[in-house]
Amino acid sequence: MALRDKQATNASLRTACERTLAAGEQQERLIAALLTLARGERGLDAFEPFDLGAVAAGALAAVRDEAEARGVRVTADLGDAPALGDSRLAEQLAANLADNAIRYNVAGGEVEISTGDRDGRAFLAVSNTGPVIPPDQLGRLFQPFQRLDPGRAALGAGRDGAGAGRDGAGAGRGGLGLGLAIVSAIAAAHGAELRAVTRAAGGLAVEVVFPPVPTGAGCRAEERAAALV
C-alpha cells in the first residue's frame, strides 16, 4: 500500500515499515502464546523433579526491572518447594503470574510472591493490589481471549509466552489475553490445584498447589539458591 502511494516520502515509508514490523511481531507473540497454551493443555510426557522456589526466583528476576519502572514494590519469600513436572512450563506459569500481578496493578502498588511446602505439597502464591475485580468475572480471566470491561482492560493478559529464549518469547508485551489461560493449562498438566480469589480492596490472589512428591524423588534445592544470587 505504501509503494502504491506516489506521494510517499522517506518518512511515510519508514512509518509503514515500522507498522508492518510491529504487526509481524504481534503475530509471532500470538503464535508463541498459542503454542505454549497447546503444550500445557496436551499434558506432560514425563515428570522430572524440580524446585518450584528456584523456578519462581528465575521468573521473578526477569520482571523486576518492569516492577521498578512501574513503581510496584515486590516482596518475595521463596522457600524450598520440591515438585515434579516440567520445570520450563512451571517457570512459564510463575512468570505469567508475576508479570500479570505487576503490569495490572496501581501506582505505588504491591506484589507478594511466596513458595514453600505445605503438608508435603509445593505451592506458589502470588497476590497483588490493583483494580477491583467483580467476583463473578473471576473465571473469565482464566479463559483464552477473555477481557473485562475497558476500565480493567486485559487484566488477564499477563506474560502470554515465556521470557527470552524460551517457549513464546516475550509474548506478554502485546496483551493478548492468554497469560492466565496458560497458567490454568500448565497447572492442569501438572495435576496442580489452581485457586484464585478477588481482593475486596482490589487485585487478585492466586495460589497453585502441586501434588505431593513420592518418596525418593529428590529435588535440588541448591538450584533455588543459585537462582537467587
Side-chain angles (χ1 to χ4, degrees):
M1 291 177 63
L3 292 176
R4 285 200 297 267
D5 182 1
K6 302 302 182 181
Q7 306 300 319
T9 64
N10 286 340
S12 65
L13 289 173
R14 182 179 182 84
T15 298
C17 289
E18 289 174 346
R19 290 176 177 172
T20 301
L21 287 172
E25 291 171 356
Q26 179 76 354
Q27 291 173 355
E28 290 178 0
R29 289 194 293 268
L30 175 59
I31 292 170
L34 289 173
L35 287 174
T36 305
L37 178 62
R39 185 182 174 195
E41 291 180 337
R42 183 188 64 194
L44 304 182
D45 296 326
F47 285 77
E48 301 292 338
F50 66 91
D51 185 346
L52 187 58
V55 163
L60 183 58
V63 297
R64 281 198 179 277
D65 288 346
E66 183 165 0
E68 292 179 3
R70 293 175 176 271
V72 174
R73 185 167 67 90
V74 178
T75 58
D77 179 12
L78 305 180
D80 293 340
L84 288 178
D86 186 317
S87 61
R88 293 179 66 189
L89 283 180
E91 184 171 0
Q92 180 66 74
L93 178 150
N96 280 25
L97 286 176
D99 188 71
N100 189 81
I102 291 168
R103 296 172 67 223
Y104 303 105
N105 212 309
V106 294
E110 299 181 355
V111 173
E112 296 180 356
I113 301 176
S114 62
T115 60
D117 185 287
R118 185 186 304 128
D119 299 325
R121 303 181 66 181
F123 71 88
L124 165 67
V126 180
S127 63
N128 71 311
T129 52
V132 174
I133 303 171
D136 62 353
Q137 297 295 305
L138 178 60
R140 291 182 57 193
L141 296 180
F142 294 88
Q143 298 175 11
F145 302 112
Q146 292 297 312
R147 304 293 181 90
L148 299 185
D149 63 64
R152 304 181 184 91
L155 257 175
R159 184 181 295 260
D160 298 312
R166 297 189 293 275
D167 297 332
R173 303 306 174 192
L176 302 173
L178 287 171
L180 293 183
I182 290 173
V183 166
S184 179
I186 293 175
H190 285 79
E193 294 182 33
L194 176 62
R195 307 164 181 170
V197 295
T198 60
R199 304 177 69 179
L204 191 65
V206 181
E207 184 176 71
V208 183
V209 183
F210 284 70
V213 176
T215 302
C219 186
R220 298 174 58 192
E222 66 269 25
E223 293 179 359
R224 179 182 62 84
L228 288 170
V229 175

